[in-house]
């Protein structure tokens, strides 16, 4: 299991895909990690506030490989 947020942990073997979603606005930007599970459930996690989506993406990739 990989801890994504304090309220969410996932089994990396059940991950179907991982994508980054970057949004740029006039006064800032937002970065999201979109994790799609094998059962079709989608988790959309925003970077920041103690959540590092880049580290999460790396951990999922290393666990699956």
């Amino acid at each position: 299991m990989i801890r994504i947020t304090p309220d969410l942990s996932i089994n990396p073997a059940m991950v179907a895909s991982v994508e980054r979603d970057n949004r740029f606005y006039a006064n800032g930007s937002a970065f999201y990690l979109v994790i799609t599970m094998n059962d079709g459930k989608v988790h959309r996690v925003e970077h920041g506030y103690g959540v590092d989506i880049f580290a999460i993406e790396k951990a999922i990739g290393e666990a699956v490989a």
Side-chain angles (χ1 to χ4, degrees):
M1 298 295 277
I2 296 175
R3 179 167 296 271
I4 305 300
T5 68
D7 300 326
L8 175 65
S9 295
I10 62 167
N11 181 350
M14 301 300 293
V15 173
S17 69
V18 177
E19 300 175 14
R20 285 189 209 164
D21 182 12
N22 304 325
R23 307 243 172 142
F24 299 99
Y25 304 103
N27 59 349
S29 59
F31 299 94
Y32 299 92
L33 190 65
V34 181
I35 305 167
T36 305
M37 306 304 288
N38 288 335
D39 64 359
K41 184 164 176 98
V42 177
H43 302 287
R44 184 178 181 84
V45 182
E46 185 174 4
H47 181 76
Y49 304 109
V51 178
D52 183 355
I53 65 166
F54 305 105
I56 294 167
E57 182 179 30
K58 181 179 178 184
I60 292 171
E62 290 174 351
V64 173

